């Protein structure tokens, strides 16, 4: 039976340390993944044909290959070509590349949903193509894409645990190492699960707030 | 190099516009010339090519053939800067209003002033309020398009076009998407513009506009201008014109005849 002293003084501090490392993976990956998703999604809709095809190919590769395999490739295979990343760098890079690919799909759908009439109106007012995309289309598309993109952030919180396979000891890694030392599988895995649940709940709440903050009367309602 | 100069004081002249879409001829050698302060009214059945012609004038739909002159100078729309300049000078009002859903009424009017004309935000906001005042909507400046009626949306769209200080305004059936009881408020704004000397090209099915305001009516069918002339000439009672027959048919459908 796990005693309270061990739980509060050994397990919780170790899991907290893992939590901070998990957050250090999730924060940059989600922010850069979202920005990358907007960029790649925009290229897939509005860029010239070669760039559009390149962006499509990127998404096909990073959505089509398991993330775990991508991480192995970045961390274990690339050094054979002289490209070396630390476990943290490889994990963040892998998460960003994967998240960008998925986010771009949400953004692409949102961009395509903007009424053509508004695009025509912007052109008729003398907007350049870039200004039309930046000031008319993207602000609306991002609002439409928010629920899907938020869902991707929730996924990212969970798949950040894959960094453990690259020897980066984040929350799941800490839990695994603690169980190896103490054999308190139920308590430690349950507690680590609660940490993830707390993170996803908090992220859902924050994303919900963000959606409400960005809400515009009547926007997104089918007319 | 030949320089084409139009004669007279035409603000805008479209010469020999042709357009085909999907192998079908939509416009066939359509020409139009509008002088300062004139209102040309395009009439014709659905599918006659009125909207396509208006959108060809500001190259939202690039014509296959034809030259556009602004104040006597030919426009080269293949040069991006000239194309954007043309669109600044030729305003457009759409049937479906096409307001920007994510912006307030005031922002809808001011955004092009900031991003296209390069005005600062404060000055653009003031200018937007002036135009909203002109169309009677200054009190609705802070609401979003979804909170407006159809008539109010179209008045905002008119204010948005006017704010750019255009030399000509193209109006593509501005009252067609409105409920009958909302047509009057938009018609009143357009009448006011006509009285103020605004140069306009209007595609419409409303005979009252054509009769009361048109300098010239152009009747289009199957991509060609079939008849053109002054309202008194084309709409004279007892006359035997396509334009008059068209309006009588419309009136009969509405139960007015």
């Amino acid at each position: 039976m796990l005693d309270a002293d061990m739980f509060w003084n050994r397990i919780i501090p170790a899991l907290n340390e893992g939590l901070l490392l998990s957050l250090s993976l999730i924060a940059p990956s989600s922010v850069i993944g979202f920005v990358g998703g907007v960029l790649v999604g925009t290229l897939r809709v509005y860029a010239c044909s070669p760039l559009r095809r390149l962006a499509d190919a990127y998404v096909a590769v990073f959505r089509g290959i398991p993330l775990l395999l991508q991480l192995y490739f970045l961390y274990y295979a690339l050094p054979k070509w002289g490209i070396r990343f630390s476990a943290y760098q490889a994990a963040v890079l892998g998460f960003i590349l994967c998240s960008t690919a998925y986010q771009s799909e949400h953004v692409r759908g949102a961009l395509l949903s903007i009424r053509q009439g508004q695009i025509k109106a912007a052109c008729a007012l003398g907007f350049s193509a870039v200004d039309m995309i930046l000031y008319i289309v993207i602000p609306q598309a991002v609002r439409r894409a928010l629920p899907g993109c938020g869902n991707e952030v929730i996924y990212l919180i969970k798949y950040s645990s894959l960094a453990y396979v690259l020897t980066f000891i984040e929350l799941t890694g800490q839990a695994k190492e603690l169980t190896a030392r103490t054999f308190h599988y139920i308590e430690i895995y349950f507690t680590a699960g609660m940490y993830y649940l707390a993170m996803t709940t908090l992220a859902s709440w924050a994303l919900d707030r963000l959606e409400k903050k960005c809400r515009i009367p009547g926007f997104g309602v089918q007319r | 190099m030949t320089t084409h100069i139009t004669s007279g004081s035409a603000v805008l002249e479209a010469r020999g516009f042709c357009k085909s879409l999907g192998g079908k001829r939509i416009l066939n050698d359509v020409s139009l010339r509008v002088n300062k302060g004139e209102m040309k009214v395009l009439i014709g059945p659905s599918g006659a090519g009125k909207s396509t012609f208006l959108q060809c004038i500001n190259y939202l739909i690039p014509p296959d053939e034809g030259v556009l002159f602004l104040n006597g100078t030919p426009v080269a729309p293949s040069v991006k800067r000239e194309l954007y300049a043309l669109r600044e000078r030729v305003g457009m009002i759409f049937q479906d209003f096409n307001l920007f859903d994510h912006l307030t009424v005031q922002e809808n009017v001011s955004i092009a002033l900031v991003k296209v004309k390069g005005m600062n935000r404060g000055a653009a906001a003031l200018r937007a309020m002036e135009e909203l005042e002109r169309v009677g909507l200054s009190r609705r400046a802070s609401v979003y398009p979804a909170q407006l009626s159809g008539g109010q949306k179209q008045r905002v769209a008119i204010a948005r076009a006017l704010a750019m200080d255009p030399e000509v305004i193209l109006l593509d059936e501005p009252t067609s998407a409105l409920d009958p009881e909302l047509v009057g408020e938009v018609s009143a704004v357009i009448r006011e513009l006509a009285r103020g000397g605004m140069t306009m090209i209007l595609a419409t099915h409303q005979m009252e506009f054509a009769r009361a305001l048109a300098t010239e009516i152009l009747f289009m069918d199957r991509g060609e201008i079939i008849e053109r002339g002054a309202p008194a000439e084309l709409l004279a009672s007892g006359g035997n014109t396509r334009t008059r027959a068209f309006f009588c048919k419309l009136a009969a459908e509405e139960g007015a005849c």
Side-chain angles (χ1 to χ4, degrees):
Chain A
M1 184 72 187
L2 177 65
D3 63 69
D5 179 56
M6 186 183 186
F7 182 75
W8 290 112
N9 295 321
R10 272 191 64 194
I11 290 172
I12 292 294
L15 290 179
N16 284 347
E17 197 181 314
L19 174 68
L20 285 178
L21 290 174
S22 285
L23 290 173
S24 74
L25 291 168
I26 294 162
S29 305
S30 56
V31 173
I32 301 172
F34 177 70
V35 174
V38 171
L39 191 70
V40 174
T42 306
L43 289 177
R44 293 178 70 197
V45 176
Y46 291 113
C48 57
S49 185
L51 265 179
R52 195 164 59 224
R53 275 204 290 269
L54 194 68
D56 283 343
Y58 163 80
V59 173
V61 167
F62 285 90
R63 277 203 314 168
I65 296 172
L67 176 58
L68 187 57
L69 205 61
Q70 293 174 35
L71 293 175
Y72 281 147
F73 192 84
L74 287 169
Y75 190 62
Y76 296 111
L78 285 186
K80 301 281 180 199
W81 293 336
I83 304 167
R84 289 175 199 286
F85 294 114
S86 67
Y88 173 77
Q89 288 168 337
V92 169
L93 184 61
F95 296 156
I96 287 172
L97 291 171
C98 181
S99 188
T100 292
Y102 279 97
Q103 298 278 29
S104 79
E105 195 60 11
H106 296 298
V107 173
R108 190 179 71 91
L111 287 169
L112 291 173
S113 76
I114 304 302
R115 285 186 295 120
Q116 283 299 305
Q118 292 189 58
I119 293 168
K120 263 190 184 173
C123 291
L125 285 164
F127 277 74
S128 67
V130 172
D131 281 351
M132 181 269 289
I133 292 168
L134 280 180
Y135 301 111
I136 305 300
V137 178
I138 287 184
Q140 296 185 57
V142 165
R143 283 179 171 88
R144 291 236 163 99
L146 261 182
C149 290
N151 201 36
E152 188 53 34
V153 172
I154 304 287
Y155 274 126
L156 177 59
I157 290 171
K158 293 185 291 176
Y159 63 64
S160 68
S161 62
L162 289 176
Y164 171 59
V165 301
L166 305 186
T167 71
F168 186 77
I169 310 301
E170 41 63 73
L171 184 56
T172 301
Q174 283 287 7
K176 185 85 174 69
E177 295 210 336
L178 283 169
T179 56
R181 287 202 297 270
T182 64
F183 304 106
H184 292 297
Y185 294 102
I186 294 174
E187 297 87 342
I188 291 169
Y189 284 144
F190 181 81
T191 310
M194 288 299 106
Y195 273 60
Y196 280 107
L197 189 61
M199 276 196 282
T200 53
T201 306
L202 196 66
S204 299
W205 174 80
L207 289 162
D208 196 45
R209 285 285 303 259
L210 184 64
E211 267 182 58
K212 284 196 175 107
K213 200 172 161 56
C214 293
R215 192 165 291 162
I216 285 170
F219 183 77
V221 176
Q222 291 297 314
R223 281 175 290 268
Chain B
M1 192 177 145
T2 316
T3 309
H4 301 270
I5 301 290
T6 58
S7 59
S9 60
V11 176
L12 182 147
E13 181 180 352
R15 197 183 287 172
F17 273 35
C18 297
K19 181 72 190 176
S20 296
L21 289 170
K24 193 183 168 206
R25 196 77 154 169
I26 308 293
L27 292 179
N28 190 17
D29 194 22
V30 178
S31 296
L32 175 148
R33 183 186 154 86
V34 57
N35 295 325
K36 191 164 173 52
E38 284 186 339
M39 184 191 230
K40 302 277 173 161
V41 175
L42 299 172
I43 300 282
S46 298
K50 306 183 297 292
S51 287
T52 306
F53 180 48
L54 287 182
Q55 293 187 56
C56 280
I57 290 176
N58 64 2
Y59 290 87
L60 287 177
I61 299 175
D64 299 332
E65 288 172 47
V67 186
L68 184 80
F69 296 87
L70 262 183
N71 292 314
T73 310
V75 175
S78 53
V79 180
K80 284 263 192 284
R81 210 174 35 203
E82 271 201 48
L83 177 64
Y84 299 148
L86 160 74
R87 289 171 176 170
E88 268 188 76
R89 293 165 69 189
V90 180
M92 176 122 197
I93 311 292
F94 299 88
Q95 184 177 340
D96 297 324
F97 332 123
N98 295 339
L99 297 182
F100 306 129
D101 292 337
H102 64 303
L103 300 176
T104 63
V105 163
Q106 192 237 64
E107 289 164 343
N108 258 280
V109 180
S110 65
I111 188 166
L113 295 173
V114 177
K115 303 299 175 195
V116 177
K117 282 200 180 285
M119 280 171 84
N120 71 52
R121 282 176 190 281
L126 281 176
R127 179 89 182 88
M129 289 307 288
E130 278 172 27
E131 292 305 336
L132 288 171
E133 187 78 47
R134 187 163 163 185
V135 298
L137 281 172
S138 54
R139 287 188 183 173
R140 305 285 280 157
S142 59
V143 306
Y144 287 90
Q147 296 168 299
L148 298 175
S149 69
Q152 289 173 329
K153 284 180 191 173
Q154 194 58 291
R155 282 150 65 197
V156 174
I158 292 171
R160 181 172 67 178
L162 290 175
M164 297 298 282
D165 209 11
E167 292 170 49
V168 186
I169 295 189
L170 315 174
L171 301 104
D172 186 7
E173 303 199 25
T175 55
S176 297
L178 300 176
D179 292 336
E181 69 270 23
L182 300 176
V183 169
E185 58 184 275
V186 174
S187 303
V189 170
I190 295 170
R191 264 197 207 91
E192 202 52 48
L193 289 178
R195 278 193 207 106
M198 176 59 75
T199 312
M200 290 185 273
I201 305 171
L202 166 72
T204 186
H205 284 173
Q206 275 191 284
M207 184 155 66
E208 54 162 313
F209 268 144
R211 194 189 290 278
L213 304 174
T215 319
E216 186 183 37
I217 294 175
L218 300 99
F219 184 83
M220 284 185 79
D221 194 12
R222 295 177 191 178
E224 291 185 24
I225 294 176
I226 306 294
E227 278 176 358
R228 60 170 82 203
E233 183 189 328
L234 294 184
L235 299 174
S237 59
N240 187 26
T241 62
R242 284 285 301 273
T243 310
R244 188 175 153 68
F246 175 73
F247 276 130
C248 276
K249 189 168 165 253
L250 277 187
E253 281 169 8
E254 286 168 12
C257 276

